């Protein structure tokens, strides 16, 4: 995930104060000359280095709990760029306004921090080991949840560092430091028996010193009286640059025995799940406390259920034992049908139920065909089942099977939180725009999968996106879907039917031609529905009026809550000629980039006024 300041030409990444001053000197020391660098102490923080009156001034920019950024005592801003822009207009407490950016010399990239370079490998290993995923399920989890997972990992990153010795005593630490070279500044870090506390062991003048590291109430780490850090690896990186009260600064790593492989294989010590006991309840037999990320929620972050934490991320048949029994037709005796109705339509209704598998019981949604229905309807439901049977993706509602009994029934995974449009209109206050973007990104991933498999959905709309929970969406309702022949890029309907015209691209209406590109058009309408929190598209217009509206070159306006980047994407989904419209692989990439940029900035940036309140409180 890119740093929120990565695009700024005056951002230097992870450089020290001395290096910053060197750059400013070279650039001439004019009043108001400034640069931005990564803060080595706080996760996601920065330092603004400014010249005034031939002096250097360094201002830490802290990332606040609500995700905004502020110089201590200053106003909060939604990102580092916005903050610098503010101070370029108004000194607001600084000795002078930011006048001249000290840009990086050409060809120089921002210096990556320790965590930056380990990030990708760590995310991959973490997802693989925590949720036991492989293959496509692993890739999809990484793409869709990278921002959330990165936050979790940042707090356990030290476990992958060669200087971290996960379970050694004070005596062993001394033995290790005294063996081999005894250079000043050779160090290691180890957990202590007392929960949540660590020791930094350092050699200087052939003597080993041990420093206690405690965690304060908000989860920050510090050597008593010393600087506070969000993470242990930041503490170490900082003390490498500056002794900060230690007898000497950290120079040479005393490596952990499995250091060479540690970065790749070291696993989070416990499987991580939000419902697990808090870390104070867990103590290993050898007396040291493992520290899985989710359990050390610092800063009052609410833990959130990720798609991979739910039972519907992978198919129930991903278990080989269950796969043995997989058949399209299910036995009636294994199915319990509840009275509860989840929804209804012309075909009949959708009921809640439970399906008994070999090893487990799963919640299901059962589409029950009205008994009086004719052959044609049964065939239609069977077609829908055949399509769904060929699909397996975390962002698509899976079919469990079909049951022929008192009625024909299509048994599906349950998406209990219901249709996206209804959910958003009911929970507008609780769902920030970043959350809407996250859900739409998941829909784009499901659609990209369909496009790759050469299926057209033909009924993509917010009503057919079902939610498992507030952060997990699945595409459903394959009643109109078609599998395209291998070398076809579109399907031509023989005649027009009962069609959702407001979601259809011009070529669907004019030529009955349906392709992934016409699904992209529908995706644009779905985006519009989502950013309006479930309003009906094209207001009260009737189908033929909408057609004329589009043919005349009009498009729906930008919803008031919709970010400009997302409206631009929507407009591209509504490019008249299908050949000129982006495909889902482009759409997914664009929304992903935007979604990551939001996550690296702040959670809920769009709630800036609210955020400001929280900071001053
Ligand atoms: P229709 O073809 O009538 O639109 P849908 O497949 O969209 O049928 O289902 C109708 C309604 O039933 C949905 O809007 C939703 O409320 C409910 N429903 C359908 N499938 C599920 C599911 N897998 N989990 C939960 N609810 C579902
Ligand atoms: Mg539907």
């Amino acid at each position: 995930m890119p740093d929120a300041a990565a695009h700024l030409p005056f951002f230097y990444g992870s450089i020290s104060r001395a290096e910053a001053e060197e750059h400013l000197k070279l650039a001439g020391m004019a009043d108001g000359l400034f640069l931005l660098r990564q803060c080595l102490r706080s996760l996601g923080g920065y330092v603004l280095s400014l010249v005034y009156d031939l002096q250097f001034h360094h201002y830490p920019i802290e990332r606040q709990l609500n995700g905004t950024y502020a110089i201590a005592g200053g106003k909060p801003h939604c990102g580092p760029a916005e903050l610098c822009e503010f101070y370029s207009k108004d000194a607001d407490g600084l000795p002078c306004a930011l006048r001249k950016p000290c840009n990086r010399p050409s060809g120089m990239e921002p210096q990556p921090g320790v965590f930056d370079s380990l990030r990708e490998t760590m995310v991959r290993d973490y997802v693989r080991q925590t949720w036991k995923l492989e293959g496509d399920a692993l890739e999809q989890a990484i793409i869709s949840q990278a921002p959330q997972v990165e936050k979790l990992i940042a707090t356990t990153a030290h476990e992958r560092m060669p200087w971290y010795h996960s379970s050694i005593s004070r005596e062993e630490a001394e033995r290790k430091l005294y063996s081999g070279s005894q250079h000043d500044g050779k160090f290691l870090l180890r957990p202590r028996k007392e929960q949540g506390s660590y020791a930094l062991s350092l050699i200087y003048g052939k003597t080993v010193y041990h420093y206690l590291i405690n965690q304060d109430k908000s989860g920050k780490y510090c050597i008593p009286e010393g600087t506070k850090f969000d993470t242990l690896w930041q503490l170490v990186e900082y003390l490498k640059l500056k002794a900060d009260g230690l007898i000497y600064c950290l120079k040479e790593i005393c490596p952990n025995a499995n250091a060479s492989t540690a970065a790749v294989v070291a696993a989070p010590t416990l499987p991580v799940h939000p419902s697990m006991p808090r870390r104070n309840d867990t103590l290993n037999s050898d007396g040291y406390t493992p520290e899985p990320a989710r359990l050390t929620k610092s800063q009052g972050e609410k833990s959130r259920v990720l798609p991979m934490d739910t039972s519907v991320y992978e198919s129930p048949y991903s278990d080989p034992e269950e796969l043995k029994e997989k058949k399209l037709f299910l036995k009636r005796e294994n199915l319990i049908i509840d009275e509860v109705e989840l929804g209804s339509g012309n075909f009949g209704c959708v009921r809640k139920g439970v399906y008994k598998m070999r090893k487990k019981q799963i919640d299901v949604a059962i589409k029950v065909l009205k008994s009086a229905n004719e052959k044609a309807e049964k065939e239609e439901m069977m077609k829908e089942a055949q399509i769904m049977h060929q699909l397996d993706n975390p962002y698509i509602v899976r079919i469990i099977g079909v049951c022929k009994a008192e009625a024909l029934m299509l048994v599906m995974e349950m998406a209990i939180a219901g249709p996206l449009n209804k959910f958003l209109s009911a929970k507008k206050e609780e769902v920030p725009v970043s959350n809407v973007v996250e859900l739409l990104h998941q829909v784009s991933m499901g659609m990209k999968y369909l496009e790759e498999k050469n299926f057209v959905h033909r009924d993509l709309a917010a009503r057919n996106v079902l939610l498992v929970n507030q952060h997990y969406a699945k595409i459903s309702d394959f009643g109109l879907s078609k599998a395209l022949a291998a070398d076809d890029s579109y399907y031509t309907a023989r005649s027009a039917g009962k069609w959702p015209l407001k979601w259809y691209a011009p070529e669907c209406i004019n030529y009955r031609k349906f392709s992934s590109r016409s699904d992209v058009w529908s995706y644009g309408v779905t985006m519009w529905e989502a950013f309006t929190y479930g309003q009906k598209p094209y207001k009260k217009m009737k189908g033929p009026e909408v057609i004329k509206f589009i043919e005349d070159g009009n498009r729906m306006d930008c919803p008031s809550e919709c970010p400009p980047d997302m409206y631009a994407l929507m407009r591209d989904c509504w490019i008249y000629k299908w050949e000129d419209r982006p495909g889902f692989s482009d759409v997914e990439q664009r929304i992903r980039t935007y979604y990551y940029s939001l996550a690296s900035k702040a959670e809920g940036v769009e709630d800036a006024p609210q955020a400001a309140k929280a900071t001053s409180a």
Side-chain angles (χ1 to χ4, degrees):
M1 226 170 67
D3 189 289
H7 62 291
L8 301 172
F10 52 87
F11 174 64
Y12 284 72
S14 180
I15 61 167
S16 67
R17 170 186 289 232
E19 287 170 294
E21 295 181 350
E22 209 44 51
H23 287 294
L24 293 168
K25 256 188 230 162
L26 285 172
M29 297 296 284
D31 283 352
L33 183 71
F34 71 98
L35 63 78
L36 191 69
R37 55 193 170 94
Q38 217 174 54
C39 177
L40 304 173
R41 290 182 291 120
S42 76
L43 199 56
Y46 300 92
V47 178
L48 176 67
S49 299
L50 170 67
V51 176
Y52 181 71
D53 204 11
L54 298 178
Q55 303 269 348
F56 300 108
H57 301 264
H58 301 275
Y59 299 94
I61 300 171
E62 284 253 12
R63 203 182 130 124
Q64 319 283 308
L65 296 189
N66 60 24
T68 59
Y69 295 82
I71 292 178
K75 294 194 181 76
H77 301 274
C78 66
E82 290 80 356
L83 181 140
C84 291
E85 194 172 331
F86 172 82
Y87 285 102
S88 68
K89 296 192 186 112
D90 184 349
D92 199 37
L94 303 185
C96 69
L98 310 182
R99 289 200 198 124
K100 187 173 176 248
C102 170
N103 289 344
R104 294 190 308 271
S106 69
M108 179 183 175
E109 289 296 311
Q111 176 71 35
V114 222
F115 182 51
D116 295 320
S117 41
L118 274 174
R119 217 172 234 170
E120 266 179 50
T121 333
M122 287 202 300
V123 168
R124 179 165 297 269
D125 290 346
Y126 189 89
V127 173
R128 180 186 279 134
Q129 292 165 3
T130 308
W131 292 280
K132 305 277 172 289
L133 298 174
E134 285 299 338
D136 288 342
L138 173 66
E139 299 310 320
Q140 304 259 330
I142 293 170
I143 294 171
S144 75
Q145 297 301 312
Q148 286 74 10
V149 172
E150 281 189 10
K151 265 188 217 156
L152 291 175
I153 297 180
T155 53
T156 45
H158 59 269
E159 292 176 9
R160 314 290 177 104
M161 303 294 173
W163 40 256
Y164 188 73
H165 295 242
S166 58
S167 50
I168 60 168
S169 64
R170 181 186 175 102
E171 293 69 34
E172 279 170 275
E174 294 191 350
R175 245 194 325 273
K176 284 193 188 214
L177 287 163
Y178 285 129
S179 75
S181 80
Q182 296 185 12
H183 297 144
D184 290 344
K186 185 174 160 194
F187 74 98
L188 60 83
L189 202 137
R190 57 190 169 83
R192 297 176 70 240
K193 281 207 175 71
E194 291 74 20
Q195 292 152 29
S197 110
Y198 297 83
L200 175 66
S201 305
L202 166 68
I203 195 164
Y204 180 75
K206 311 234 182 289
T207 307
V208 171
Y209 296 80
H210 301 275
Y211 295 91
L212 173 68
I213 302 170
N214 275 329
Q215 246 182 312
D216 71 6
K217 277 193 222 93
S218 68
K220 289 198 191 272
Y221 297 94
C222 69
I223 293 175
E225 317 284 288
T227 317
K228 294 188 175 185
F229 300 88
D230 282 340
T231 64
L232 283 172
W233 57 269
Q234 282 167 313
L235 175 140
V236 166
E237 287 310 305
Y238 187 77
L239 295 174
K240 277 184 189 169
L241 298 170
K242 201 172 163 184
D244 199 38
L246 302 186
I247 187 139
Y248 200 67
C249 62
L250 309 182
K251 285 273 184 234
E252 182 184 320
I253 294 168
C254 176
N256 171 341
N258 19 16
S260 55
T261 50
V264 190
V265 296
T269 332
L270 281 179
V272 179
H273 195 276
S275 63
M276 286 193 45
R278 293 206 57 81
R279 59 194 301 246
N280 292 355
D281 307 339
T282 54
L283 199 68
N284 251 359
S285 53
D286 54 41
Y288 111 92
T289 315
E291 191 190 24
R294 210 71 75 81
L295 308 185
T296 53
K297 269 275 123 43
S298 61
Q299 313 186 346
E301 263 179 62
K302 274 180 259 150
S303 65
R304 107 149 52 143
V305 178
L306 304 187
M308 300 85 85
D309 292 320
T310 69
S311 59
V312 288
Y313 184 77
E314 282 198 285
S315 161
Y317 296 115
S318 64
D319 178 342
E321 279 294 297
E322 301 289 4
L323 187 62
K324 280 187 208 156
E325 291 273 294
K326 184 177 175 182
K327 291 190 188 79
L328 182 60
F329 289 97
L330 309 177
K331 289 196 189 114
R332 179 64 180 87
E333 71 246 35
N334 291 333
L335 191 63
I336 303 165
I337 309 172
D338 210 325
E339 282 303 306
V340 179
E341 252 187 44
L342 296 165
S344 62
N346 291 331
F347 60 88
C349 68
V350 176
R351 288 236 147 95
K352 217 175 150 189
V354 173
Y355 178 64
K356 281 188 269 180
M357 300 188 69
R358 254 187 142 163
K359 287 160 65 183
K360 59 187 176 232
Q361 300 202 346
I362 58 169
D363 288 335
V364 290
I366 310 160
K367 205 168 189 172
V368 187
L369 204 62
K370 274 185 219 146
S371 47
N373 265 313
E374 292 152 28
K375 204 171 150 230
E377 264 114 9
K378 284 190 184 155
E379 276 170 13
E380 263 174 42
M381 187 181 255
M382 284 311 296
K383 274 191 200 156
E384 185 175 351
Q386 292 293 358
I387 298 263
M388 291 178 87
H389 199 62
Q390 299 171 64
L391 307 173
D392 178 8
N393 183 274
Y395 302 107
I396 291 179
V397 171
R398 295 187 186 91
I399 187 172
I400 307 300
V402 175
C403 186
K404 275 179 167 167
E406 62 270 33
L408 182 60
M409 295 177 277
L410 196 157
V411 182
M412 299 168 274
E413 287 178 333
M414 166 79 95
I416 193 72
L420 179 65
N421 54 340
K422 285 193 188 163
F423 185 91
L424 290 177
S425 65
K427 307 235 171 175
K428 187 168 186 332
E429 305 309 318
E430 294 156 53
V431 185
V433 170
S434 57
N435 193 164
V436 175
V437 173
E438 178 185 29
L439 293 169
L440 283 170
H441 174 246
Q442 295 174 355
V443 176
S444 76
M445 288 185 69
M447 290 308 297
K448 183 179 165 186
Y449 169 83
L450 275 190
E451 179 181 78
E452 281 164 3
K453 300 258 309 182
N454 226 14
F455 282 79
V456 285
H457 187 286
R458 299 180 68 222
D459 199 4
L460 179 59
R463 64 179 173 276
N464 288 330
V465 171
L466 302 182
L467 299 188
V468 177
N469 61 45
Q470 190 176 327
H471 295 281
Y472 189 6
K474 282 177 178 262
I475 299 160
S476 79
D477 197 347
F478 290 82
L480 287 171
S481 304
K482 301 282 173 201
L484 300 178
D487 38 10
D488 280 351
S489 62
Y490 59 88
Y491 159 82
T492 313
R494 248 183 264 145
S495 58
K498 263 182 74 183
W499 283 353
L501 294 179
K502 290 184 175 180
W503 282 263
Y504 274 4
E507 71 275 12
C508 306
I509 295 161
N510 298 332
Y511 308 106
R512 305 189 308 277
K513 268 167 87 169
F514 294 86
S515 62
S516 293
R517 301 296 167 101
S518 55
D519 278 345
V520 165
W521 181 288
S522 314
Y523 181 81
V525 182
T526 308
M527 283 180 81
W528 187 93
E529 294 179 274
F531 284 116
T532 57
Y533 288 84
Q535 280 182 30
K536 295 207 166 67
Y538 304 99
K539 291 197 189 118
K540 293 202 176 89
M541 279 192 236
K542 294 256 162 24
E545 291 171 79
V546 174
I547 295 169
K548 174 149 193 323
F549 180 79
I550 296 295
E551 292 289 341
D552 288 346
N554 302 306
R555 298 295 183 268
M556 283 190 283
D557 291 334
C558 182
S560 60
E561 317 264 336
C562 178
D565 292 20
M566 291 292 93
Y567 186 59
L569 177 58
M570 221 183 271
R571 291 299 296 246
D572 285 351
C573 293
W574 299 331
I575 291 175
Y576 190 89
K577 283 173 139 181
W578 66 268
E579 314 92 283
D580 299 338
R581 236 171 268 153
F584 276 110
S585 127
D586 283 347
V587 169
E588 189 276 325
Q589 189 59 55
R590 274 173 69 180
I591 194 159
R592 186 201 302 185
T593 306
Y594 185 71
Y595 159 54
Y596 284 8
S597 79
L598 281 186
S600 72
K601 249 188 182 173
E603 192 118 310
V605 261
E606 54 284 341
D607 307 329
Q610 205 179 313
K613 246 185 282 155
T615 329
S616 59

